[in-house]
Amino acid sequence: MTNPHPSGSISVHAEGIASVAVGGSIHGPVTIRTTVLPASAVRDAADTEARGVVSLRAPKHTFTGRTAELAEVRAELARSTGTAAVVLHGLGGVGKTELALQYAHLHRESYDLIWWIDAAVPGATEAALAAIAERLSPHWTGTEPSLPARAAWAMSWLQQHDRWLLVHNNVEEPALLGVLLGSLPRGHHLITSRYATRWPGQVRFVGLSVLPRTDSVALIGSWVPLASPKEEWHAGRLAGELGDLPLALEQAGAYMNQTVTSVEEYRSSLHEFLDEAALDHAADEQTVAGVWALTLTALAESNPLSVELLHTLAWLDPDGLPRELLASLTAGPVRVKTALGLLRAYSMVTLSLEEVAVHRLVQKVLRDRATREAAARATADGPPPAPRGREAAERILLAAVYPNGPEEDPDTVQLARLAAHATALSTTDPGIYHPGPSRLFADTALHLNDRGQTVRALPLFEAYARQTADGFGIDHPFTLNACGSVATSLMAAGRLEPATDLLEELVERATRVLGGGDLITLHIRASLAEVHLTCGRLQRAEDGFAAAAADSTAHLGPDHPRTLTLRNRLATTYENRHQFDRAIEIYQDLLRHEHGGLVHWEQHSTPLRLNAATIRNNLAGAYQGAGRSAEAIATYREALADMVRRVGADHPKTLECLGNLGYALDAAEQREEASRIYREVAEKRVRILGEDHPDTLLSQSNLAYMLLKTGEPEAGLELCRKTLVQREQILGVLHAATLTNRKLLASAYDWTGDLTTAAELFETTLQQHREVLGSRHPGTLSTLSGYATCLMRAGDAPGAVPLLEEALAAQEELSEPEGIATMTYRHNLAAALRDTGAFDRSEELFTTVLEQRTRRLGADHPDTLISSGSLARLYQLTGDLDRAVPLYESALTGLTAIFGTDHRTSRILADYLAEARTA
C-alpha cells in the first residue's frame, strides 16, 4: 500500500514524487490507463475510412410503436451542438435497449460506423474501442498490442471522423461517461439508462414510459392472431394487467405463441400468479414476476433443464456468459442447446452463437423469489439452504477457473474471462462458508487489483471477508487479513471514511485478540495511519505511525523489516507535513541499517521488502521537498546506480527511480535531460510493464506536463484529457487519483490560456476535493491555490484573496511556518493582495517570505529570487523605484544564470526592470 505525496512546489505538475510505503514501490500517485500514440498511428487513424461498419445484434421482429420516440431521438441528436448525446431513460423492462437497437438499424445508412457497448459490464467501453480498432485497421491484425493501445487508436479515429454512432447500453453510473463524451464530440452517442439525473450538462433526454394501449395490443398481436373483437378486447385487458410493460408483453406473447394459448386462456391462468407476485415483489417487479411464474410453469413441464439453466443464469453477470460452460451442468451439450433454444423461444434469454444473456429485471425477480423460498426452508438447527440456481452457478465457474480443483492454481485465462461473472456472484451472500467460492472471490479480487481495477475488486474482497468470517470466525487472523484487504480496497476506491471506520474496528479487534505488536495488528494499524494520511489528518497519521513503530521496536526489534517500514512511513508523513528535516533525519538513520534489517534484493518476494536503494530514493525526495535540489539529484543518481548494478537498467524499480530523477531535473529546470528521461521511462514501461500499468501511466502524465511546458500545449492538453477519461471509467469520478488528474487538466487549460474552462474545472474539482478528502487535505489546498492563481490571471484578484487566505491558514496548521507549501501560499496571497491594491499587507507578506526563503533555501534559490522580483514589482507599483531597481537587478541576474535569458520568468523581470529604469 503506497501513499504518494507532492514534491513541495505548487505547480501544474500535480503528480509529484513519492516515498515507498509498506511493501510498496517508488512511484507517484496511482493512475489509470492512458496511451500516447506515435504520430504514425494518429495519421493512420485520420486516414482510415469506414463504410457500413456495424456491430449490432438483430432487432426483434415484434417491435411495435415508439414512432414518436424514435423521431425525438433523431431530432435531439441532430440539433445538438458540440457533443451530440441523447439519454433514453426509464424503468427496467420499458424497452430502452430495444428502442436504441431499432434506432441504430433504422438509421444505419446515416453512419459510417455503429458500435454497441454493454456499458454495465466493467471494462466494456475500453474493450469495445479496442474492437473498433481491430475492425477498422489492418495495423492491428495478427498483432498482440495492449488493450489500451487499440482503444487509444479508436479514440483517435473517433476524434477525427464524424459519421459514427456509439450506443452505450445500460449505463449504471452517469458521471463515468462525462469526460468520454467531452473527448468524442464529433459523432453521436445514444445512451440507455434507468437514471435521468447526475448526467453531464451536454446530454439531452428522451424519457421512455410504458407503451400506449394500442401499441401494447399490437405487440401482443405480433405473437398471436387477434382475429375477433373479443380477442382484441382480451388483449387490451391483458395489456392493462401487465401495465403495458414491453418486457412483460413480449414474454407473455412468446408464451402464448409457444403453447398455442389464446389471450383469454392466458389471462385466466395469469391472475393467480399476479396475485402471488403482489405478495412477494415490489410494485415495479410484480408484472414481470407474474408473467415469469406462468412461463416457468410451462417450461418445467416441457423441459425442466431450461428452468434450471435460467435459475443458474440469474446469479451471474447478465451479459456474455460463454454457452459452453453450461454443458457441465448436464450430460451433454445437445440437451443444453435444446433448453437454451426453448428459453429463447419464450423470450427469456437472448442468444448468440457463443454467449447467452438474460434481462436484468428477470434476473432480479428470479433471485428474489429463490432467496425467499430458501429462507422459508431454513431450519433452526442447520445451515441455511442455498437459493435455487446459486450452487450451480458456483459450480460452472469453479469448473472453468479450477480445472484441477480449487486446491490447485487457477486457469488465469478463464479467471480473467469470467471476472464479471465471479463479481456478480460475489454480490449475493451465500450465507455459509464454501472453500471453492471463497478461493474464487480472493483470486479474482487479486487479479483485478493487480491490474489497477480496484473498484471492480472491492465486492470480491467483501465477499471473501464474509466467507472467512463465516468459516473461521470474525476474530480469526484469516478474517482480520481479509477485512484489511476490504479496507485497503475501499481506500483505493476513494471511499475513505468507510475505510477509516472499518480499520478503527479492526485495530480494536486485532489488538484485543493478537496484541498490539503482532504483525497482522501492526499492518492494520499502519493501514489506519495510511488512511489518515490520505485524508489529510496528518497529526493522527503521525501519531499512528509513531506509536506503531514504537510497538514494533519493542516487540520485534529495531532492525525488523516491519519496524523499518513503519519508520519509513512516519518519515513520509513528516514530508506531507513539509517537515522535511525530520524526514531526512529518519531516512538517514534507516540507511545505517543497510547491512542489518534492510531486506536484500534477493529477498524480493517478501511483502515487507525495504532496501537501501529505496530509502535513498525517499531521502532524495525529502531533499527535493526541502529545496536541496543538488543533493536530491545526486542522491537519486546514487540510488539509480545501485539499482542498475543489482537488478538491471530495465527493472521496474530502476525505472521508478529514473522517473523520479527526471522529475528532480525538471524541477531544477534541467529540462533537456528531464525530457529525455521521461520519454525513456515511458517507452521502457510500455515494453516491460504494458501500457495499462499504473507506473506507465504516471510516466505518461509526466510526459503530458512536459509537453505543456516545452511548446506542445495542445498535445499535452489532449493527453491530460485521455488520462482523466480512463481514471473516471476505472476508478470512479471521486477517486483521489481522478481528482489529481482533474486538477492537472484544469492547470493545463490555465497553461494554454483557456482561463474560463480552467476556472470552471478548478471550481468543480475543489468542491470534490472538499467532499472526498476534506478541507484541510494538502490536495485540497493545492487545488485552492491553483484556482486562485487562475482567477488572478483572469483579472479577478479580489476573488482569489479569500481562497488563498483559506489555503494559508490551513497550511499553517498542517506544517511549520517555513514549510515549502506555507511559503508558497504566503507568496501567492501577497501577490493577490498587491493586485487588489492592499499594498501594506502585501509588502509585509512579501518581506516575510523573502526572509524565510533566503534563510531556508538560500539567496540563490529560484524561489528566493522570484520573491525578490515580486517584492520589486510591489515597490515599482507604489512608486518606490530606488528599492525596486536594485531588487530587479539582483533577481534578474540570478534567474538568468539559472534559466537563461529566454525563460518566461526572466523575460517578465527584464521587461519590468526596463520599465522601472525609464519611469
Side-chain angles (χ1 to χ4, degrees), residues 495-531:
R495 298 171 58 183
L496 301 177
E497 291 309 317
T500 303
D501 294 341
L502 176 57
L503 285 167
E504 287 176 342
E505 176 191 342
L506 290 175
V507 167
E508 186 279 324
R509 283 162 48 190
T511 303
R512 172 171 45 81
V513 175
L514 304 174
D518 182 84
L519 269 174
I520 292 177
T521 306
L522 290 170
H523 178 72
I524 295 171
R525 292 172 67 184
S527 296
L528 179 57
E530 201 74 49
V531 76

Side-chain angles (χ1 to χ4, degrees), residues 536-847:
R537 300 187 286 259
L538 301 184
Q539 186 59 58
R540 296 182 68 182
E542 179 184 333
D543 293 343
F545 281 126
D551 285 348
S552 184
T553 301
H555 288 82
L556 304 176
D559 293 334
H560 191 279
R562 172 59 70 195
T563 306
L564 301 181
T565 55
L566 286 166
R567 295 189 64 209
N568 177 58
R569 294 310 287 157
L570 176 60
T572 302
T573 306
Y574 288 142
E575 287 187 76
N576 274 267
R577 301 195 68 174
H578 292 265
Q579 298 177 9
F580 297 106
D581 291 342
R582 299 180 73 180
I584 289 168
E585 182 180 354
I586 291 179
Y587 289 140
Q588 290 175 337
D589 183 66
L590 288 174
L591 285 173
R592 298 188 183 99
H593 296 266
E594 184 169 356
H595 302 292
L598 289 180
V599 178
H600 299 296
W601 283 102
E602 54 268 21
Q603 294 174 275
H604 184 73
S605 61
T606 173
L608 298 177
R609 63 183 179 272
L610 192 70
N611 54 54
T614 58
I615 294 296
R616 285 194 177 89
N617 171 86
N618 296 349
L619 175 60
Y623 284 146
Q624 180 73 24
R628 295 159 65 173
S629 180
E631 291 171 278
I633 292 171
T635 306
Y636 276 134
R637 293 191 192 280
E638 184 181 357
L640 181 63
D642 188 20
M643 292 179 181
V644 171
R645 183 173 62 256
R646 293 179 181 273
V647 295
D650 291 343
H651 191 279
K653 300 299 179 189
T654 306
L655 295 179
E656 289 164 359
C657 187
L658 180 60
N660 283 342
L661 171 61
Y663 178 74
L665 291 165
D666 184 5
E669 299 292 333
Q670 299 180 38
R671 289 182 179 165
E672 183 176 349
E673 184 179 3
S675 182
R676 178 186 60 76
I677 287 175
Y678 283 159
R679 294 182 185 278
E680 177 185 349
V681 173
E683 290 168 2
K684 286 187 174 182
R685 280 175 167 166
V686 167
R687 175 168 51 84
I688 297 167
L689 302 176
E691 296 189 26
D692 56 349
H693 192 280
D695 292 356
T696 307
L697 302 176
L698 174 63
S699 294
Q700 293 172 169
S701 290
N702 289 342
L703 186 56
Y705 174 59
M706 182 61 73
L707 290 170
L708 287 169
K709 292 196 300 184
T710 55
E712 299 181 67
E714 291 304 320
L717 188 62
E718 181 57 29
L719 186 52
C720 288
R721 290 195 194 103
K722 288 182 179 180
T723 308
L724 182 57
V725 167
Q726 299 299 332
R727 277 174 165 160
E728 289 191 330
Q729 286 185 332
I730 304 300
L731 287 181
V733 176
L734 297 180
H735 189 276
T738 307
L739 297 180
T740 297
N741 204 133
R742 194 172 292 114
K743 179 177 63 176
L744 177 63
L745 180 60
S747 297
Y749 281 121
D750 188 352
W751 190 279
T752 57
D754 188 351
L755 299 178
T756 300
T757 303
E760 291 174 353
L761 191 53
F762 266 127
E763 185 174 17
T764 300
T765 308
L766 176 59
Q767 179 181 354
Q768 293 167 339
H769 266 90
R770 283 173 165 156
E771 291 174 359
V772 177
L773 302 177
S775 296
R776 293 295 184 266
H777 189 276
T780 306
L781 303 184
S782 177
T783 305
L784 262 173
S785 181
Y787 183 24
T789 302
C790 179
L791 292 177
M792 290 171 64
R793 278 194 235 277
D796 185 12
V801 168
L803 298 178
L804 290 167
E805 295 270 20
E806 179 184 349
L808 177 59
Q811 188 62 45
E812 286 177 333
E813 294 177 8
L814 293 176
S815 66
E816 56 197 12
E818 295 185 10
I820 301 298
T822 308
M823 291 189 292
T824 299
Y825 296 147
R826 190 173 288 124
H827 174 95
N828 292 348
L829 176 58
L833 290 167
R834 179 191 62 199
D835 291 350
T836 63
F839 296 131
D840 290 343
R841 188 166 176 225
S842 175
E843 180 179 356
E844 178 185 346
L845 289 172
F846 272 137
T847 302

Side-chain angles (χ1 to χ4, degrees), residues 156-419:
S156 180
W157 187 91
L158 293 165
Q159 288 165 346
Q160 298 178 81
H161 298 79
D162 52 15
R163 283 172 49 87
W164 52 259
L165 169 68
L166 298 183
V167 184
H168 309 268
N169 190 43
N170 269 318
V171 174
E172 295 291 335
E173 180 49 67
L176 294 184
L177 275 183
V179 178
L180 179 66
L181 297 180
S183 298
L184 298 176
R186 298 185 64 174
H188 287 177
H189 301 266
L190 182 56
I191 302 158
T192 72
S193 179
R194 292 175 295 163
Y195 305 105
T197 59
R198 297 182 289 128
W199 289 97
Q202 65 263 45
V203 305
R204 295 177 179 271
F205 298 92
V206 174
L208 212 58
S209 60
V210 297
L211 287 172
R213 184 58 48 81
T214 54
D215 288 343
S216 296
V217 171
L219 178 54
I220 295 172
S222 69
W223 286 96
V224 294
L226 303 176
S228 68
K230 179 181 179 181
E231 289 171 334
E232 288 189 6
W233 181 86
H234 276 295
R237 289 288 182 170
L238 176 61
E241 289 159 355
L242 297 182
D244 296 299
L245 189 69
L247 177 64
L249 294 166
E250 186 83 18
Q251 292 179 342
Y255 175 94
M256 291 182 284
N257 177 273
Q258 187 69 18
T259 59
V260 195
T261 300
S262 71
V263 180
E264 182 178 3
E265 291 173 320
Y266 184 85
R267 285 188 65 214
S268 177
S269 301
L270 181 65
H271 286 163
E272 60 180 287
F273 290 104
L274 287 176
D275 291 341
E276 183 181 351
L279 300 176
D280 290 334
H281 295 279
D284 60 344
E285 300 169 8
Q286 292 170 12
T287 300
V288 174
V291 173
W292 153 81
L294 184 55
T295 300
L296 284 194
T297 300
L299 286 169
E301 294 175 356
S302 60
N303 191 314
L305 177 59
S306 66
V307 180
E308 294 307 314
L309 292 182
L310 195 61
H311 277 92
T312 301
L313 293 169
W315 300 96
L316 301 172
D317 189 79
D319 298 308
L321 181 75
R323 289 174 58 171
E324 77 269 11
L325 298 187
L326 295 171
S328 65
L329 296 179
T330 186
V334 175
R335 292 185 62 201
V336 171
K337 184 176 181 180
T338 301
L340 288 175
L342 191 57
L343 288 173
R344 180 176 181 271
Y346 277 93
S347 283
M348 299 300 284
V349 301
T350 301
L351 289 182
S352 68
L353 290 176
E354 297 176 347
E355 296 179 340
V356 55
V358 189
H359 195 284
R360 286 165 170 77
L361 186 56
V362 174
Q363 279 191 313
K364 185 176 187 306
V365 168
L366 286 163
R367 288 197 306 268
D368 288 349
R369 171 62 66 87
T371 301
R372 292 188 185 97
E373 291 176 347
R377 299 195 309 270
T379 60
D381 55 352
R388 188 177 185 181
R390 185 187 168 83
E391 288 186 336
E394 293 176 354
R395 286 200 305 274
I396 64 174
L397 294 185
L398 291 173
V401 175
Y402 303 100
N404 300 317
E407 300 81 14
E408 302 298 326
D409 291 337
D411 180 331
T412 55
V413 173
Q414 291 284 50
L415 183 72
R417 182 188 187 195
L418 300 174

